[in-house]
Amino acid sequence: MIDVLVVDDDFRVAEINAKYVGKVPGFRVAARAHSAAQALASVQRGTIDLILLDHYLPDQTGLELVHRMREQGHGTDVIMITAAGDVTTVQAAMRLGALHYLVKPFTFAALRTRLDSYAALRRTVDRVGGRGIAGQEQVDRIFSALRTTPAPPSPGLPSGHSEPTTDLICRVLHHAEHPLSAHEVAAETGLSRSTAQRYLRHLEQAGRLRLTLRYGDTGRPEHRYAWVAP
């Protein structure tokens, strides 16, 4: 599980953001903070993987907090979630190493997109890290993992299908290094195998995935799906 610290001076907003995080498979809220001091104390305890950070805090700005964390040697990952939409603040967040910047107000789907790409980054780094030294191909894979690639609009989705789930499955296939089976997609997304299979079948019929068959020694061939670049 990825442990998340939700930081927002507004208690209600922090609660909403925490509920959003709790709905994304693989993530859990480890703590909430409503000031920079509370947030830094949580980071110093060493249990936080990712901070969802507001910029406007009562004692320091979010970016001042990140700068202080870095000075103390804390490399905790940060996604900014704030109403601050000025270019200066966005640029400063990039320079301090924020992985994403989400401007309020936002939807659950928008946050989930960022969290999914962050999870993809961690999986990619774990796979590449085991090799010790990364070549250019592995470096490119690490950097591309953070790109958010929402699925294009899908007018007329079949009954029982949703855009957020469609986006999630497309994102998993987009970042996969090889074709995946319905079982593997289900494991990556937290969906049931039958739900993953239903979406995969629709996406393949719509031309957004490529279906291949892998034959074993016995039994029926395994259906495997690969992302088709638009």
Side-chain angles (χ1 to χ4, degrees), residues 214-222:
R214 186 169 73 178
Y215 290 87
D217 296 332
T218 59
R220 300 167 59 185
E222 182 182 50

Side-chain angles (χ1 to χ4, degrees), residues 34-48:
H34 308 292
S35 69
Q38 291 176 357
L40 185 60
S42 292
V43 171
Q44 290 171 337
R45 286 193 287 270
T47 59
I48 304 300

Side-chain angles (χ1 to χ4, degrees), residues 5 19 24 35 41 69 127 132 143 163 165 191 200 214 230:
L5 169 63
K19 287 181 178 179
V24 182
S35 69
M69 286 166 44
R127 286 195 294 266
F143 273 86
E163 282 289 353
T165 302
L191 300 169
L200 290 167
R214 186 169 73 178

Side-chain angles (χ1 to χ4, degrees), residues 92-170:
M94 293 174 62
R95 288 172 175 167
L96 285 170
L99 299 179
H100 282 299
Y101 196 106
L102 193 57
V103 179
K104 297 177 181 178
F106 59 90
T107 64
F108 167 63
L111 177 59
R112 179 161 190 167
T113 296
R114 275 71 181 178
L115 293 180
D116 287 337
S117 73
Y118 175 72
L121 171 67
R122 289 174 63 98
R123 290 194 299 269
T124 303
V125 170
D126 287 345
R127 286 195 294 266
V128 174
R131 302 170 188 170
I133 299 176
Q136 187 61 54
E137 180 182 353
Q138 287 74 35
V139 171
D140 290 343
R141 189 172 298 148
I142 290 172
F143 273 86
S144 67
L146 268 179
R147 296 173 187 161
T148 55
T149 53
S154 304
L157 278 174
S159 176
H161 288 61
S162 71
E163 282 289 353
T165 302
T166 300
D167 289 351
L168 174 59
I169 290 177
C170 286

Side-chain angles (χ1 to χ4, degrees), residues 183-218:
H183 177 76
E184 291 169 325
V185 171
E188 289 281 349
T189 60
L191 300 169
S192 69
R193 186 185 183 281
S194 60
T195 297
Q197 182 66 65
R198 187 170 72 252
Y199 277 83
L200 290 167
R201 188 179 302 112
H202 166 70
L203 291 167
E204 186 269 328
Q205 292 172 351
R208 292 160 65 182
L209 300 179
R210 181 178 69 255
L211 171 64
T212 58
L213 300 178
R214 186 169 73 178
Y215 290 87
D217 296 332
T218 59

Side-chain angles (χ1 to χ4, degrees), residues 1-14:
M1 296 292 288
I2 296 172
D3 287 325
V4 179
L5 169 63
V6 176
V7 183
D8 200 292
D9 66 322
D10 188 317
F11 285 73
R12 293 169 299 175
V13 173

